[in-house]
Amino acid sequence: MNNPASLFPQQEVLTVSGTPSPAPDAPASPSPSPTIDPYAALEQQADLSMMKNIVNVMLIGVDYAEERETWSGKDGLSAAHADVMIVLAVNFDENRADLISLPRDIYAKIPGVDGIYKLNASLDCGGGLLAENGAGFLKVCETASYLLGGIPVNYYYAVTMPAVKQLVDAIGGVDFNLDISFTMQGRTYYEGRQHMNGQAVLDYLRVRKEASGLKPSERGDAQRVKRQKKMLIAIFNQLKKKDMMLKVPDILSAFDGQLFTNCTTSQTAALALYGYNMPSENIGMHSMVGHMRSMYSWNFNFINQSKRVDLIREIYGVDVPKIYEISESYAAKVHQNKIANQYINTCGPLTKYVAALIAADDLLPEFTASPTPSPETTPEASVSPAPETP
């Protein structure tokens, strides 16, 4: 029992040129069909040329869902915004990756576009969700590159809200330790370890408003961004746990028209291959932090420029300058100038009207007053002194 191999005496095997031959009189064994190793199959698809240095991939969540087409102020696909923007910096040389969240309310300069926008409008500025050749998503990438000090962001994956549900359901849901209790459109969730389907994951990724029953410390976009990164890690771990990382290219190909990317199948395979061998502990989570301030009757997020520079140095090992044009002080000056121009434009017609009245008055003949006759003098009357009052 301690040496089960001893119960099966080995037959002598004759070899020819190093190849084992069957024992004499042994029945011929049927040749088994070759089994394709999933890893090898993925490796054959992968574009290994991209797997060097640091590659930046933009992960975009678009705030489009069919039910939103009836919302006031929304116009379906044409009004979609990039409400989730995370740069995935894949460092092939150091076997790690970093997730850099870009808050949607960042006061941003959209390259090549005049005007003042929040970062999430970059998709619309590029032509929107259905722009030809992915121009809208490329504009999001270009704006992210601007915020990174010119470091290129060449690739993207974007999903709509329905696609998120279907993607999660396609991998069999996600095991997740829910850190909050909340209600979304009549669906209530309680904190604790649980298995979440696509709808539950989408609700968790979206929740941020006071009406959702969140505590004050759990509200707002900054807290939502933290939850989104935690969920991405959970999905990554679920793919590895179920050994589905090698099937990622096939999974994504089933979402044609709902998932958007400029990556080829070979590039997607290369990223999946890399992720297969990388532990989740090697994924760093970061945000371009800032503070909120109301301007133009909107709430903008102004990036802390010093921390932005430090973040880029930590991840990419390069020093980039601060961007003065998106600083709060510069934005305040632009705002004040616009208000001044508004006052000037409003008062301009009144100023012209008054100037015309003054000019017309100057054309009138000089006014000379008639001499005033001197009043006749009346003789002074004698006045008896008044009696003293006791």
Side-chain angles (χ1 to χ4, degrees), residues 264-276:
T264 64
T265 302
S266 297
Q267 290 168 335
T268 298
L271 293 171
L273 193 69
Y274 178 75
Y276 181 82

Side-chain angles (χ1 to χ4, degrees), residues 31 52-53 74 92 110 167 179 203 239 256 258 265 305 311 356-357 359:
S31 300
K52 58 184 179 182
N53 303 325
K74 291 286 183 181
F92 291 107
I110 311 297
L167 279 168
D179 52 343
D203 289 342
L239 285 166
D256 184 37
Q258 301 176 69
T265 302
Q305 290 291 326
L311 174 65
L357 289 179

Side-chain angles (χ1 to χ4, degrees), residues 55-125:
V55 171
N56 294 309
V57 182
M58 195 79 212
L59 307 179
I60 305 170
V62 181
D63 67 343
Y64 170 75
E66 189 174 348
E67 63 267 19
R68 285 192 162 206
E69 293 186 3
T70 59
W71 286 19
S72 174
K74 291 286 183 181
D75 188 19
L77 292 170
S78 62
H81 290 79
D83 262 12
V84 178
M85 289 161 287
I86 298 176
V87 177
L88 171 63
V90 183
N91 192 323
F92 291 107
D93 296 340
E94 297 184 8
N95 191 35
R96 66 180 177 85
D98 291 278
L99 296 170
I100 310 169
S101 294
L102 306 178
R104 65 174 198 162
D105 293 327
I106 287 177
Y107 180 95
K109 169 65 180 170
I110 311 297
V113 180
D114 291 331
I116 295 165
Y117 295 91
K118 291 186 177 184
L119 182 62
N120 68 343
S122 54
L123 175 63
D124 192 50
C125 288

Side-chain angles (χ1 to χ4, degrees), residues 73-295:
K74 291 286 183 181
D75 188 19
L77 292 170
S78 62
H81 290 79
D83 262 12
V84 178
M85 289 161 287
I86 298 176
V87 177
L88 171 63
V90 183
N91 192 323
F92 291 107
D93 296 340
E94 297 184 8
N95 191 35
R96 66 180 177 85
D98 291 278
L99 296 170
I100 310 169
S101 294
L102 306 178
R104 65 174 198 162
D105 293 327
I106 287 177
Y107 180 95
K109 169 65 180 170
I110 311 297
V113 180
D114 291 331
I116 295 165
Y117 295 91
K118 291 186 177 184
L119 182 62
N120 68 343
S122 54
L123 175 63
D124 192 50
C125 288
L129 180 66
L130 301 180
E132 190 173 354
N133 299 321
F137 299 118
L138 291 173
K139 184 60 72 176
V140 178
C141 294
E142 187 181 359
T143 309
S145 176
Y146 172 77
L147 292 174
L148 290 174
I151 294 172
V153 181
N154 296 325
Y155 306 100
Y156 66 83
Y157 290 90
V159 290
T160 60
M161 291 195 286
V164 171
K165 289 195 295 185
Q166 295 175 37
L167 279 168
V168 173
D169 288 337
I171 65 173
V174 178
D175 294 322
F176 191 72
N177 188 17
L178 202 60
D179 52 343
I180 56 173
S181 297
F182 67 96
T183 298
M184 173 73 75
Q185 296 181 347
R187 296 179 292 271
T188 300
Y189 305 92
Y190 299 98
E191 60 182 297
R193 188 78 183 173
Q194 56 200 275
H195 187 77
M196 301 175 69
N197 62 11
Q199 182 65 66
V201 169
L202 177 61
D203 289 342
Y204 178 75
L205 295 176
R206 291 179 59 196
V207 65
R208 73 183 176 96
K209 295 184 178 179
E210 190 172 337
S212 304
L214 299 180
K215 300 173 185 175
S217 60
E218 298 165 343
R219 300 170 189 159
D221 194 55
Q223 295 302 315
R224 180 169 67 169
V225 164
K226 291 179 181 178
R227 292 193 288 268
Q228 289 166 350
K229 287 184 290 189
K230 288 169 63 177
M231 181 56 74
L232 281 176
I233 299 296
I235 291 172
F236 175 77
N237 287 331
Q238 190 77 354
L239 285 166
K240 298 189 76 170
K241 176 182 175 182
K242 294 192 172 183
D243 204 21
M244 298 181 75
M245 186 65 73
L246 302 178
K247 300 176 183 177
V248 164
D250 295 331
I251 294 172
L252 298 188
S253 65
F255 291 87
D256 184 37
Q258 301 176 69
L259 182 144
F260 308 85
T261 183
N262 64 344
C263 290
T264 64
T265 302
S266 297
Q267 290 168 335
T268 298
L271 293 171
L273 193 69
Y274 178 75
Y276 181 82
N277 294 306
M278 188 183 69
S280 59
E281 293 77 20
N282 289 16
I283 302 177
M285 295 193 287
H286 317 268
S287 288
M288 280 202 182
V289 297
H291 65 278
M292 301 297 293
R293 178 180 168 183
S294 180
M295 201 173 289

